[in-house]
Amino acid sequence: MVFITEDLVRRRAEHNEFEIFSLEEVSLHQQDIEKIEHIDRWCRELKILYLQNNLIPRIENLGRLKKLEYLNLALNNIEVIENLEGCESLQKLDLTVNFVGVLTSVESLKHNIHLRELFLVGNPCIEYEGYRQYVVAALPQLQWLDGTEIYCSERIGASQGLEEVRRRVVEQEMEYQRRRRKKKEEVQSKEAGEEKQRKLGFNAHCSQEDQEQVEEVERAFWHTPCSFTPESRLQAHRHLEEQRKAKEADKERKPKSPKTLITAEGRVLNVNEPKLDFSLTEDEDNNRIILDLAVYRHMDTSLMDVDVQPTFARVRVKGKIFQVVLPAEVKPDSSTAQRSQTTGHLVLTMPRAEGEIKVTKAVQRPRRASASSCSTEKNRSHRASSSDPSAQTMSSMDALKISEPSASHRAELLPGAAPITKPSSSFHETKALPVLQLAPSNTIKSHRPILHLQINHLIKMLSCSSPAAR
């Protein structure tokens, strides 16, 4: 048995920011509710109330809804129209496909002076002789009955023979109530004998012979003709409910294979169990990643759960997991989730993380060691020449001499410099040449001849070395 709870009403008040005290419209249809309660105390501002397709047997606890204009109670188990005198603003009442057999109960709606439309299609009372004439005469404020407009001529004709019509209606009511009492007794006796079979039928571990018997009972339940009564409707609902519970219990007994979302190596997988369309875009201008998930438009937001991690995003939709790997790291604490009011899509906006390492073009290392030595010598010469103008002039002259070497010069190495050795023919690597140690800038003038001879000697040794060494 389902009751109207505050949590149920609050979930249905999503359009009103989950506030129920100022709620003007609420839909509680198809909830298997069996009793109306609490609504008149929680939602005093209610104007539209949908309670169709439930199991409500009686109209009650609605007298405090002074602003209620439209009440929909179609497809329920209501047999008598009652307890609506307090709904002063009621304009439309829908009781389609119920079990209203007491037609005289419509006279309780005389106090609802604003009532304009009434629907009683699909009730036993519409088969009564003089049904429409009686309702039109009993409710002078009514303008539409079962979707048909009431004209003045029809109203005048209905009021002329009201007493005779009322007498016939009362006789038919009494006959209907007698049949109803008889059917109730038959249903009660049947339920006592079928209780044991129902318990056997939903036992998941019964034998093969019992299982065949269960299937036969199931076929007989659905194929045996029966009258459409509140009891039969309630019995069919409970039968389906027991079947559903038995299937759920059977599923719980079976071990479920664990869902693999992240492998043992730590690799995150892309998963789309609800089979939803989605788009993943990168907003380069705002430095963020946007995930647009095409969630069902009329799905309640409370059935979704969002989890954003630095490298992936996970959304649980009615227990089914949607997971996608992100192209870059994001900030979970700065991410937002919004629901579109037009399409119902779920939009996740995830800013990118700062300080992310990006791969750039690799710089190749120098191939030959001699190039590095020449560069070091050139830098040192440049620093020495920049500190002394005379040294700069000397470097220019030496550069000209290096480009045009002379074979007549002979010189010795400076003290402390290692001699140049000729590489062996078995090796093809070039050994690094010694780096010349230059004196400070204030002493370069006195050592200019020695430096000149040393450079010429190095040039001669290089020209004499093998091609592989060069």
Side-chain angles (χ1 to χ4, degrees):
M1 184 175 180
V2 180
F3 298 95
I4 298 178
T5 61
E6 183 179 351
D7 182 61
L8 175 62
V9 178
R10 200 173 294 279
R11 288 203 311 268
R12 295 290 181 169
E14 182 182 5
H15 59 281
N16 197 41
E17 298 181 355
F18 301 100
E19 295 181 355
I20 62 176
F21 71 93
S22 61
L23 195 62
E24 295 185 356
E25 178 180 348
V26 65
S27 178
L28 299 174
H29 64 285
Q30 296 181 348
Q31 298 293 319
D32 299 331
I33 298 171
E34 297 187 25
K35 186 178 181 181
I36 303 174
E37 54 186 353
H38 306 308
I39 296 179
D40 58 338
R41 294 187 291 107
W42 295 341
C43 312
R44 292 291 185 88
E45 304 295 323
L46 208 59
K47 293 183 178 180
I48 301 175
L49 177 58
Y50 295 99
L51 287 169
Q52 68 269 25
N53 203 358
N54 284 293
L55 301 170
I56 301 170
R58 186 184 177 191
I59 304 175
E60 56 185 342
N61 299 322
L62 295 175
R64 298 181 183 179
L65 300 178
K66 305 298 182 181
K67 298 182 181 180
L68 186 64
E69 298 177 359
Y70 175 36
L71 176 61
N72 192 331
L73 286 168
L75 292 166
N76 279 283
N77 297 342
I78 297 171
E79 298 187 60
V80 180
I81 303 174
E82 57 185 348
N83 301 323
L84 291 175
E85 295 83 357
C87 301
E88 301 172 355
S89 303
L90 187 63
Q91 299 178 11
K92 183 178 179 180
L93 177 61
D94 192 347
L95 291 170
T96 304
V97 190
N98 274 273
F99 301 92
V100 178
V102 184
L103 185 57
T104 55
S105 61
V106 299
E107 295 182 4
S108 64
L109 299 175
K110 286 181 179 181
H111 304 283
N112 305 98
I113 58 176
H114 299 287
L115 185 63
R116 297 292 179 266
E117 295 182 59
L118 176 64
F119 291 87
L120 292 172
V121 177
N123 287 272
C125 63
I126 66 170
E127 300 177 1
Y128 294 172
E129 184 183 353
Y131 150 73
R132 184 175 178 87
Q133 183 181 355
Y134 174 76
V135 176
V136 171
L139 302 176
Q141 77 275 24
L142 209 60
Q143 296 180 359
W144 294 80
L145 177 60
D146 297 334
T148 304
E149 187 176 1
I150 303 172
Y151 295 99
C152 295
S153 57
E154 183 182 4
R155 195 182 307 277
I156 294 172
S159 60
Q160 289 177 356
L162 178 59
E163 293 299 328
E164 181 62 24
V165 173
R166 192 176 192 284
R167 184 184 60 79
R168 292 200 303 267
V169 167
V170 171
E171 291 177 357
Q172 296 175 82
E173 279 183 2
M174 294 175 64
E175 180 63 23
Y176 172 77
Q177 291 177 355
R178 185 183 62 80
R179 294 197 306 266
R180 281 287 296 127
R181 285 193 297 268
K182 186 177 179 179
K183 289 179 181 178
K184 285 182 181 179
E185 292 174 0
E186 292 177 358
V187 170
Q188 291 174 0
S189 61
K190 250 184 203 179
E191 286 181 352
E194 294 176 355
E195 185 68 25
K196 184 178 179 180
Q197 292 181 351
R198 283 203 301 269
K199 290 182 179 179
L200 178 63
F202 300 114
N203 187 4
H205 301 281
C206 59
S207 62
Q208 183 67 23
E209 184 179 352
D210 294 337
Q211 191 66 29
E212 293 177 358
Q213 184 181 358
V214 167
E215 293 177 359
E216 185 178 352
V217 171
E218 187 73 12
R219 284 193 299 270
F221 179 83
W222 292 110
H223 291 86
T224 302
C226 64
S227 57
F228 185 64
T229 60
E231 290 77 20
S232 63
R233 190 167 181 263
L234 190 60
Q235 186 180 10
H237 167 72
R238 289 175 179 172
H239 185 83
L240 293 173
E241 188 68 17
E242 288 175 357
Q243 278 187 333
R244 184 184 63 81
K245 289 181 180 179
K247 289 181 180 179
E248 290 180 357
D250 194 23
K251 287 182 180 179
E252 290 178 358
R253 294 190 189 99
K254 295 180 181 178
K256 295 182 180 179
S257 57
K259 299 175 182 177
T260 304
L261 301 177
I262 302 176
T263 61
E265 295 81 12
R267 186 168 63 91
V268 182
L269 302 179
N270 291 324
V271 182
N272 190 1
E273 289 183 350
K275 298 180 181 180
L276 299 173
D277 296 333
F278 69 95
S279 63
L280 188 65
T281 57
E282 297 185 56
D283 188 356
E284 299 292 345
D285 298 336
N286 299 318
N287 196 26
R288 61 185 183 179
I289 299 174
I290 300 175
L291 172 63
D292 190 338
L293 188 60
V295 182
Y296 312 114
R297 180 176 181 180
H298 300 289
M299 178 180 289
D300 192 7
T301 308
S302 62
L303 300 176
M304 290 178 282
D305 185 23
V306 181
D307 181 18
V308 178
Q309 297 295 332
T311 57
F312 66 91
R314 182 183 301 165
V315 181
R316 191 182 298 271
V317 181
K318 293 185 68 174
K320 296 183 179 180
I321 295 176
F322 172 87
Q323 181 173 281
V324 63
V325 180
L326 303 177
E329 291 189 7
V330 299
K331 300 178 182 178
D333 53 347
S334 302
S335 302
T336 59
Q338 294 179 334
R339 186 89 183 272
S340 174
Q341 295 182 355
T342 55
T343 62
H345 288 199
L346 180 66
V347 181
L348 302 182
T349 305
M350 300 165 283
R352 286 181 177 176
E354 297 179 359
E356 187 177 8
I357 300 176
K358 296 183 179 179
V359 179
T360 58
K361 186 178 180 181
V363 180
Q364 296 182 355
R365 299 178 63 183
R367 296 181 180 179
R368 299 176 63 179
S370 60
S372 176
S373 302
C374 293
S375 176
T376 305
E377 182 179 357
K378 186 185 295 183
N379 292 339
R380 290 182 179 178
S381 300
H382 178 71
R383 287 196 300 269
S385 61
S386 62
S387 61
D388 191 353
S390 59
Q392 185 175 1
T393 305
M394 181 269 301
S395 301
S396 302
M397 294 174 62
D398 291 342
L400 293 174
K401 292 179 181 180
I402 289 173
S403 62
E404 298 178 359
S406 176
S408 61
H409 294 91
R410 298 287 186 274
E412 297 291 335
L413 291 175
L414 288 175
I420 300 175
T421 58
K422 185 176 181 180
S424 175
S425 60
S426 59
F427 294 93
H428 296 284
E429 292 185 2
T430 303
K431 294 185 179 180
L433 296 177
V435 180
L436 298 179
Q437 303 292 334
L438 296 179
S441 59
N442 55 359
T443 60
I444 287 180
K445 292 182 180 181
S446 59
H447 294 286
R448 182 181 298 177
I450 298 175
L451 179 63
H452 176 68
L453 293 176
Q454 180 184 4
I455 292 173
N456 290 336
H457 179 69
L458 290 175
I459 293 172
K460 183 178 180 181
M461 292 299 295
L462 287 173
S463 63
C464 295
S465 61
S466 64
R470 290 200 299 272

